[in-house]
């Protein structure tokens, strides 16, 4: 193999692999990037941690097609520091790879490319387009409440599921709180993959990687399913994310019925600010605050036997009966911080029932709802 | 029958040409002397073990164990085995009376679990003992009652075919022994453990254990080893188990199951090894297991392994230890190699890894078998990764790297020193000598907010947080730090009983094996005091409905499992308060950020801030340092700047 291309292109593409290369792990080959050059002048870079795989393609000058695999991090560290505009990669004996650029000459220890896990192909995937910003909003609104408890593997990802005709939803829960968003999808007449009827669970790692690498300036991504992978394509990059095998819990039954008249409308920025202020008096270990809704007022308070207590009243559009509940304020702030809109609607059912938080003024057709289980204080 | 209405004394003869066939005889004193002697009954579980062994030797297909008060009040073992005739029943309770061997040669080819003729007399001498037995096809049965070794009565007795032995008031005549008994729940745990060990190699026999009227173990006859292993190890753990490819070396055959390296335990109690169906603890086998897992699991952790070794009876001596839990292989090297080979082959195939090709992984990847209940044998055998045949031919290409030592050392371009850099080695003990200033909080830390005041430089190797203070460099071990914080929280809750609870929106279902489930049931109050709201449903399932608010976001099932294991070791005796710290520290480990977790700068800073709340006067949960500091002066010295 021998190829030459722009240093900046190689650096940009290698960056996209960095999140999945395994820095320690038991399989050394997974620290590598697989580099493939085809007759047609196409360079494919590939990395995988077996759960998430990234493939990018770009153009290059191919003097000799072939494959090679070297440590991805090392290669990236070298390439991003090159001064020369062009860089040449060339395979040597015994899986070594030589890199030359301007005055620089580097030789990397490589491995046998046949040992690299088989690269997955996206050829037969039926892709459905989705605006990039919409996809990002869906991830943002759910990723924070994904469980980190590997003892509950089915909660360590977000449920990606069809939600009625031409809508798609994303749901996550860590057992104490739940976030869900649904949004319209324009399948351009094509069917959504049938697996999405029941939904697939996309692991947090995959979502985080998507959020990190997707080019936000590109107007649109497209997604599809292949085997037990979700495939997401944006520009020249394809990402395979192995979905979590398991059933997402049936959460419908724990969501209280929402009633318009119970909603309290509060200025979101004020609420965030005041909760942070009051939380100075919450216990540093339990993060307790209390929220009380009474006519036209939302009272936030916290107390800790070691510190004292603190209370502040915020204006609210509310005219139902007085209710109150205790919370881990971080759970509340997590929601308030990811949603948009000037105002937010709080819906406290009672002290012990799950509380609903509604995002108002969502983007066109999107709907998100957040549920937080109160704390017993 | 019924012809031997009163035959007291008939049993005195070694054999007697009576009206019925007699199988049991008293061993000659010369032969009896060659049998490893020693204490047979040291606790209820050892009596249960002996009685169940006898039932298995008698060809039973269903064995019921009932115990009361941990077995100290009553043990009853009932089987549907061959039973004993009247004369046999009377002689069976005498020392050195056995039907299982008769001459010296037999001693070297033992195919039964029992062979000493010791168990029944030993048990009968320290309890109120009742034997009721009847061979199938006979009309009448026999009852023999013995109290503290003295025969009280014997005679005809109507009963079902098979044998039922009741042992009441164990150790009533040996008060010193009785004093050593642990708590009821500890004894139950040992009884369950004993029965499980006997049940593992015998899926063809049904076992049950009832404690104080409550069924604590139920093992129906099942089809093949895996189903039995599954029901004993528990659904969660068995999802991490894979069949080991069969291995053979010089007459030692090995088969069984092994855990992927992700599943480890603190003790070796997940290791079950059997030689010709007998549970043994053998250093050769344990050594081979350790070697096979070397480098794959952390030191101090142990895998879950269930191995069945088959050896010609002439090739293994079981007459080694009075408890019959040790064996001596004539070819220990063969046993070692066979075990190591079976495990190494299984492990190197990495059956838990998804295959390189996505579609192949679809139906057999680790996640598939982990999430799903392996269920009955038919389902299970459909999962290709678990089958021995498959394990041997599984793709080797991932594993090859690990075992063939492909040279991928630290890259020449690695900017950072490798993980073994000298700083890490400087624990508190090495402080003075290595020249590293191990800092003691009291000396150097300003009054408040020391950790929050640090300038955070970054995270290295997803393990350490590197920071600086005005006069030096501070390195924090992120896992130790978080563990310390969680521990502190737990101790506060416990000490102040000041519990804020964070209920679950979606309760977590916890499955435990019957041992842990029994301990949990007995200790629900303890966990409630900590703020866990746990509701039993079914025998071994529990719903976790709320957790202490301080622990929100931890790994609850892991925390509870380790706490249960600690409780099992402690019992619920007066030592609990002493052990609380140990239990809490173990739980803290699972509430914590782990080594290897990548932390964002804000997460790292939050961790540092929380460290300020920790009272460093107390000892660390695991005695490991949380951080160390190196002064600028010290650095200058190291760089020969002065
Ligand atoms: N449940 C049973 N059913 C049928 N026969 C039994 C039963 N229990 C004991 N026996 C008979 O009584 C004999 C004596 O039992 P005991 O357990 O004392 O000795 P053992 O099993 O021969 O040797 P060991 O002391 O090693 O267990 C046995 O050899 C067996 O013939
Ligand atoms: Mg016996």
């Amino acid at each position: 193999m021998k190829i030459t291309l722009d240093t900046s292109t190689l650096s940009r593409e290698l960056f996209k692999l960095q999140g999945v290369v395994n820095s320690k792990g038991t399989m050394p080959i997974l620290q590598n990037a697989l580099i493939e050059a085809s007759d047609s002048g196409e360079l494919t870079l590939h990395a995988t941690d077996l759960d998430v795989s990234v493939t990018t393609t770009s153009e290059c000058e191919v003097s000799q097609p072939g494959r090679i695999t070297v440590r991805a991090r090392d290669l990236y560290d070298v390439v991003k520091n090159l001064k020369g505009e062009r860089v040449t990669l060339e395979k040597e004996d015994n899986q070594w790879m030589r890199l030359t650029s301007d005055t620089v000459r580097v030789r990397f220890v490589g491995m046998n490319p046949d040992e690299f896990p088989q690269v997955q192909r996206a050829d037969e995937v039926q892709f459905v387009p989705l605006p990039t910003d919409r996809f990002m909003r869906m991830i943002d609104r759910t990723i924070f409440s994904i469980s980190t408890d590997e003892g509950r593997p089915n909660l360590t990802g977000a449920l990606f599921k069809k939600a009625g005709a031409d809508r798609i939803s994303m749901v996550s829960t860590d057992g104490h709180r739940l976030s869900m968003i649904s949004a319209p999808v324009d399948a351009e007449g094509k069917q959504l993959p049938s697996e999405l009827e029941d939904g697939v669970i996309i692991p947090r790692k995959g979502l985080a990687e998507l959020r990190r690498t997707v080019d936000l300036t590109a107007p649109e991504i497209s997604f599809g399913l292949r085997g037990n992978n979700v495939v997401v394509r944006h520009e020249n990059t394809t990402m395979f994310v192995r979905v979590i095998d398991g059933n997402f819990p049936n959460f419908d039954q724990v969501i209280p019925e929402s009633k318009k008249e119970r909603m309290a409308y509060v200025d979101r920025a004020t609420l965030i600010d005041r909760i942070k202020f009051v939380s100075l008096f919450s216990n540093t270990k339990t993060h307790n605050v209390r929220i009380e809704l009474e006519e036209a007022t939302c009272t936030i308070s916290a107390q800790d036997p070691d510190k004292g207590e603190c209370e502040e009243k915020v204006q609210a559009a509310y005219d139902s009966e007085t209710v109150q509940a205790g919370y881990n304020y971080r759970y509340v702030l997590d929601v308030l911080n990811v949603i948009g809109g000037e105002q937010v609607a709080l819906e406290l059912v009672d002290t012990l029932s799950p509380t609903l938080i509604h995002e108002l003024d969502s983007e066109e057709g999107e709907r998100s709802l957040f549920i937080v289980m109160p704390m017993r204080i | 029958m019924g012809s031997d209405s009163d035959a007291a004394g008939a049993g005195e003869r070694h054999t007697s040409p009576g009206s019925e066939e007699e199988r049991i005889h008293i061993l000659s004193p010369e032969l009896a002397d060659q049998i490893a002697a020693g204490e047979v009954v040291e606790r209820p579980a050892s009596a249960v073990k002996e009685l169940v062994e006898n039932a298995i030797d008698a060809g039973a297909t269903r064995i019921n164990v009932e115990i009361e008060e941990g077995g100290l009040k009553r043990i009853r073992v009932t089987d549907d085995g061959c039973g004993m005739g009247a004369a046999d029943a009377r002689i069976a309770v005498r020392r050195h009376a056995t039907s299982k061997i008769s001459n010296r040669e037999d001693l070297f080819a033992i195919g039964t679990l029992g062979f000493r003729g010791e168990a029944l007399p030993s048990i009968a001498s320290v309890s109120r003992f009742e034997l009721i037995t009847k061979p199938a096809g006979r009309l009448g049965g026999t009852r023999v009652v013995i109290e503290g070794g003295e025969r009280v009565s014997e005679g005809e007795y109507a009963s079902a075919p098979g044998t039922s032995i009741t042992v009441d008031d164990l150790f009533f005549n040996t008060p010193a022994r009785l004093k050593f008994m642990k708590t009821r729940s500890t004894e139950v745990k040992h009884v369950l453990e004993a029965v499980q060990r006997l049940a593992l190699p015998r899926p063809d026999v049904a076992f049950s254990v009832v404690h104080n009227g409550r069924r604590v173990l139920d093992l129906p006859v099942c089809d093949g080893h895996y189903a039995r292993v599954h029901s004993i190890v528990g659904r969660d753990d068995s999802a991490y188990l894979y069949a080991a490819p069969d291995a053979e070396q010089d007459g030692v055959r090995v088969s069984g199951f092994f855990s992927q390296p992700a599943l480890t335990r603190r003790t070796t109690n997940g290791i079950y090894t059997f030689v010709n169906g007998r549970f043994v603890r053998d250093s050769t086998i344990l050594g081979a297991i350790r070697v096979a897992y070397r480098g794959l699991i952390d030191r101090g952790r142990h895998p879950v392994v269930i191995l069945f070794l088959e050896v010609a009876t002439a090739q293994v001596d079981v007459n080694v230890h009075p408890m019959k839990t040790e064996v001596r292989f004539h070819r220990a090297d063969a046993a070692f190699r066979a075990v190591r080979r079976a495990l190494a082959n299984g492990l190197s195939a990495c059956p838990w890894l998804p295959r390189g090709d996505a579609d192949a992984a679809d139906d057999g990847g680790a996640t598939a078998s982990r999430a799903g209940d392996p269920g009955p044998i038919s389902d299970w055998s459909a999962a290709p990764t678990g089958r021995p045949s498959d394990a041997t031919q599984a793709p080797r290409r991932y594993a090859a790297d690990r075992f063939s030592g492909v040279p991928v050392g630290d890259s020449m371009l690695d900017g950072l020193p490798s993980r073994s850099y000298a700083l890490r080695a400087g624990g508190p003990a090495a402080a003075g000598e290595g020249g590293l200033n191990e800092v003691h909080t009291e000396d150097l830390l300003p009054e408040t907010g020391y950790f929050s005041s640090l300038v955070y430089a970054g995270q290295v190797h997803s393990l350490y947080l590197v920071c600086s203070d005005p006069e030096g460099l501070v390195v924090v071990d992120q896992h130790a730090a978080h563990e310390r914080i969680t521990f502190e929280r737990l101790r506060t809750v416990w000490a102040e009983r000041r519990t804020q609870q964070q209920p679950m929106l979606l309760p977590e279902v916890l499955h435990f094996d019957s041992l842990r489930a029994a301990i949990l049931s007995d200790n629900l109050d303890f966990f409630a005091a900590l703020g866990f709201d746990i509701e039993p449903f079914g025998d071994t399932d529990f719903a976790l409905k709320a957790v202490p608010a301080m622990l929100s976001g931890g790994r609850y099932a892991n925390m509870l499992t380790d706490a249960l294991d600690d409780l099992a070791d402690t019992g619920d005796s007066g030592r609990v308060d002493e052990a609380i710290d140990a239990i809490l520290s173990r739980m803290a480990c699972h509430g914590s950020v782990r080594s290897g977790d990548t932390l964002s700068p804000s997460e790292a800073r939050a961790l540092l801030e929380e460290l300020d709340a920790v009272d460093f006067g107390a000892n660390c949960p695991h005695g490991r340092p949380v951080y160390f500091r190196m002064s600028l002066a010290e650095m200058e010295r190291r760089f020969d700047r002065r």
Side-chain angles (χ1 to χ4, degrees), chain B residues 49-51 53-55 57 98 100 113-120 324:
Chain B
K49 167 183 177 271
E50 294 296 340
L51 297 176
E53 280 188 356
N54 283 348
D57 282 347
T98 181
K100 299 171 190 174
L113 295 171
F115 56 87
R116 307 157 309 176
E118 285 277 20
L120 295 185
K324 299 178 288 189

Side-chain angles (χ1 to χ4, degrees), chain A residues 79-149:
Chain A
V79 173
K80 74 175 179 208
N81 287 308
L82 291 176
K83 302 277 186 296
E85 257 172 38
R86 303 279 285 173
V87 54
T88 299
L89 306 180
E90 183 175 4
K91 183 169 182 165
E92 297 187 333
D93 289 346
N94 283 326
Q95 316 295 354
W96 284 69
M97 181 181 86
R98 173 209 293 264
L99 175 152
T100 43
S101 174
D102 203 4
T103 51
V104 176
R105 249 192 73 214
V106 183
R107 293 177 72 231
F108 293 89
V109 177
M111 288 170 79
N112 183 349
D114 293 339
E115 305 206 336
F116 202 88
Q118 194 174 323
V119 177
Q120 316 197 54
R121 315 205 54 91
D123 304 348
E124 307 132 37
V125 180
Q126 269 233 354
F127 282 104
V128 179
L130 199 64
T132 306
D133 52 348
R134 171 161 296 163
F135 190 53
M136 292 298 118
R137 279 194 297 274
M138 295 180 81
I139 296 179
D140 285 341
R141 276 159 186 66
T142 48
I143 197 168
F144 68 93
S145 58
I146 293 176
S147 173
T148 51
D149 182 358

Side-chain angles (χ1 to χ4, degrees), chain A residues 149-159 173 201 244-249:
Chain A
D149 182 358
E150 283 136 39
R152 298 183 87 178
N154 56 335
L155 302 190
T156 57
L159 178 70
T173 178
I201 306 174
I244 295 170
D245 198 348
N247 293 323
F248 202 79

Side-chain angles (χ1 to χ4, degrees), chain B residues 254-287:
Chain B
V254 177
S255 62
F257 303 89
F258 66 97
S259 60
Q260 71 178 73
L263 174 69
T264 59
R265 293 200 177 163
R266 265 188 320 113
T267 64
T268 52
N269 64 16
I271 298 180
Y272 296 89
T273 55
F274 301 87
V275 174
N276 295 343
R278 181 191 309 278
F279 176 88
V280 296
R281 275 263 166 249
D282 178 79
S283 55
T284 302
I285 302 176
L286 290 176

Side-chain angles (χ1 to χ4, degrees), chain B residues 601-623:
Chain B
S602 60
E603 286 171 318
R605 278 191 206 100
L607 188 65
L608 292 171
E609 277 163 30
E610 289 190 85
L611 265 185
D612 279 326
V614 169
D615 166 19
F616 273 95
N619 282 327
C620 275
H622 291 157

Side-chain angles (χ1 to χ4, degrees), chain B residues 149-191:
Chain B
E150 302 293 329
R151 214 169 277 235
V152 172
S153 76
E154 50 189 50
E156 267 186 69
Y157 198 85
S159 71
T163 303
S164 171
I165 290 179
T166 308
V167 177
D168 281 345
D169 305 326
L170 189 64
F171 304 134
F172 78 101
N173 55 350
T174 53
R177 172 54 82 192
L178 194 54
K179 238 181 38 215
F180 272 104
M181 287 307 107
K182 292 273 172 60
T183 60
R184 204 169 41 85
S185 63
T186 307
E187 295 306 332
V188 177
K189 179 183 112 101
H190 286 288
V191 168

Side-chain angles (χ1 to χ4, degrees), chain A residues 27 71 74 78 107 115 118 120 150 152 175-176 226-228 242 245 285-286 305 331 373-376, chain B residues 358 362 367-368 370-371 398 401 411-413 498 500-508 552 556 594:
Chain A
M27 288 170 57
R71 302 234 303 198
D74 297 343
V78 167
R107 293 177 72 231
E115 305 206 336
Q118 194 174 323
Q120 316 197 54
E150 283 136 39
R152 298 183 87 178
H176 296 301
R226 182 170 192 272
N228 51 3
R242 195 178 156 81
D245 198 348
K285 294 156 185 167
T286 63
Y331 289 175
M373 196 65 190
M375 183 192 283
R376 280 184 217 140
Chain B
D362 285 353
T367 39
R370 173 190 165 134
Y398 303 147
D401 310 329
S411 148
M412 53 180 172
L413 293 157
R498 187 174 73 192
Q500 294 183 348
Q501 262 188 327
Q502 174 65 61
M504 309 289 283
L505 177 65
L506 294 157
E508 176 167 1
S552 313
Y556 310 129
R594 281 190 287 193

